[in-house]
Amino acid sequence: MDKKDDVLILAIESSCDETAAAVVRNGREVLSNIISSQIELHTLYGGVVPEIASRKHIEKINQVIEEALEKSGAALEDITAIAVTYGPGLVGALLVGVSAAKAISFATGKPLIGVHHIEGHISANFIENKDLEPPFICLVVSGGHTHLVVVKDYGVYEILGCTRDDAAGEAFDKVARAIGLGYPGGPKIDRLSKEGNPDAIPFPRAKVDGASFDFSFSGLKSAVLNYLNSCEMKGLAINRADVAASFQKAVIDVLVEHALHAVQEYHFQKFAIAGGVASNSALRAAFEQECSKRKIAFYHPSSILCTDNAAMIGAAGYYEYIKGVRSGYALNAVPNLKLGER
Ligand code: KG4
Ligand code: ZN
């Protein structure tokens, strides 16, 4: 592609506790990816405090955008369009990114594109896997979502299943808190599990009656809490590494079984994972092994592109841009935006 035909997207993400901006060329080449994480701030409270998140986003947003432009080597005039996460997420947090994007779009006259956060997570797979094109099946596992999706085309999705209660990441965070690991729980359980026996405690693998692609993790979380209580009451020592490893294995078994059932039932040869939990080392290893056995191509973003970032929003925004999608200045934050909805 001729340089003058390059599409440079300035992308902004502020849906939860990361203030992020990135510049992405032609959907798949990341020129800069700046993430200012608030994790340390929220760790004090054991989870994300929405009001604190919004305030921190306001403090950081301009700085992060400027840094993303500077690192990319592109000037604001070189940017083709501005993409921003407008949902789902925390309303106050989303509004900071949406307002910043609208202001830049208004001041420069460049088009504005509202992007769905989950669409961003899925599109993170396009960045490092240059050969990956729809259709494929993607399992999105994050702190707020657990979705099994057919990616029919760029920006076109069919949801096969989702969680009926807790998201996979939420279960990781709650169990981590129960065994005293603190926030965010996912990476800590991932690490501690390496020292534990995944078969030590037989935690349940929940199935949802009549919906083989749906998930349920609240029963598993309760089973872990009951196990901890009963050990305490009996005066038995708790092996935290065994609890972590056994819980993690229970989550992974269900995710792998449901996802690969869908891939085979719908006769797909390509499968991808996305979202914060997709950086879990045991989850990746399990999918690598099971996909290779079945000759299914397995894709996943690198860890930095799994957790919240703006490069993924730039990738998704690019495909919306070339389809002609434009958002007006009436674009608003939509905290419970559904995938595939505009
Ligand atoms: O995608 P993400 O950054 O934010 C949302 O959109 O929710 O996901 C954050 C979630 C948290 O629940 C965190 O505990 C989980 O992803 N997570 C992990 C790992 N790294 C992050 N869960 C399991 N293993 C990990 N290595
Ligand atoms: Zn996310």
Side-chain angles (χ1 to χ4, degrees):
M1 191 185 280
D2 202 47
K3 218 170 161 9
K4 68 176 169 34
D5 296 327
D6 277 352
V7 173
L8 287 191
I9 303 282
L10 169 63
I12 300 170
E13 153 67 41
S14 69
S15 66
C16 190
D17 59 348
E18 261 93 31
T19 320
V23 177
V24 178
R25 177 157 45 205
N26 303 326
R28 298 202 183 219
E29 191 190 345
V30 178
L31 303 186
S32 64
N33 187 25
I34 308 299
I35 305 170
S36 169
S37 176
Q38 307 177 358
I39 282 180
E40 269 177 37
L41 201 62
H42 298 289
T43 299
L44 289 173
Y45 306 95
V48 178
V49 183
E51 191 51 43
I52 295 179
S54 316
R55 260 187 271 152
K56 204 69 196 167
H57 283 309
I58 292 175
E59 273 176 37
K60 290 283 176 185
I61 191 89
N62 288 342
Q63 196 182 316
V64 165
I65 293 170
E66 273 167 28
E67 206 178 325
L69 282 168
E70 198 183 303
K71 283 259 164 68
S72 74
L76 194 49
E77 307 86 81
D78 305 327
I79 297 294
T80 317
I82 327 292
V84 64
T85 306
Y86 73 111
L90 301 169
V91 65
L94 286 165
L95 274 171
V96 177
V98 168
S99 308
K102 285 204 276 194
I104 297 171
S105 165
F106 185 71
T108 59
K110 306 210 185 256
L112 174 70
I113 302 157
V115 173
H116 192 290
H117 182 74
I118 298 301
E119 197 169 336
H121 274 303
I122 294 170
S123 304
N125 278 290
F126 297 135
I127 294 171
E128 291 156 317
N129 302 301
K130 309 289 182 206
D131 61 324
L132 177 61
E133 284 184 40
F136 58 93
I137 288 197
C138 186
L139 172 71
V140 186
V141 272
S142 73
H145 304 268
T146 305
H147 277 50
L148 195 52
V149 177
V150 181
V151 182
K152 294 180 151 182
D153 199 347
Y154 294 104
V156 183
Y157 308 98
E158 181 188 341
I159 300 174
L160 300 178
C162 55
T163 181
R164 294 290 180 99
D165 38 60
D166 291 351
E170 195 179 350
F172 269 92
D173 293 336
K174 287 178 176 169
V175 167
R177 194 177 313 148
I179 57 174
L181 293 179
Y183 176 85
K188 291 182 174 161
I189 289 200
D190 191 351
R191 231 170 290 133
L192 185 60
S193 293
K194 294 187 182 14
E195 296 159 28
N197 172 6
D199 301 313
I201 310 152
F203 289 132
R205 274 75 172 150
K207 286 203 160 58
V208 178
D209 282 345
S212 55
F213 300 133
D214 277 353
F215 303 91
S216 167
F217 293 110
S218 72
L220 170 60
K221 173 197 66 192
S222 303
V224 175
L225 297 179
N226 289 342
Y227 172 82
L228 296 173
N229 282 339
S230 96
C231 286
E232 213 164 279
M233 277 161 62
K234 291 179 197 154
L236 298 173
I238 293 164
N239 182 328
R240 295 199 310 168
D242 282 353
V243 175
S246 300
F247 157 77
Q248 180 175 273
K249 179 87 186 323
V251 175
I252 292 173
D253 281 355
V254 172
L255 293 176
V256 171
E257 194 200 314
H258 286 34
L260 294 186
H261 175 196
V263 174
Q264 294 198 298
E265 178 129 335
Y266 288 84
H267 306 290
F268 279 89
Q269 267 79 50
K270 291 183 273 184
F271 169 68
I273 54 174
V277 183
S279 62
N280 183 276
S281 56
L283 180 72
R284 286 177 183 216
F287 273 124
E288 241 144 46
Q289 190 182 339
E290 295 305 316
C291 287
S292 118
K293 263 195 225 160
R294 294 169 173 79
K295 310 240 171 316
I296 296 162
F298 171 53
Y299 300 88
H300 61 80
S302 60
S303 289
I304 191 72
L305 295 175
C306 281
T307 44
D308 289 349
N309 66 87
M312 67 184 197
I313 303 302
Y318 167 78
Y319 289 103
E320 298 291 283
Y321 174 81
I322 58 173
K323 270 197 289 185
V325 172
R326 304 288 182 266
S327 306
Y329 295 130
L331 182 72
N332 204 353
V334 184
N336 53 2
L337 186 65
K338 303 277 176 294
L339 187 62
E341 217 175 65
R342 276 227 146 257

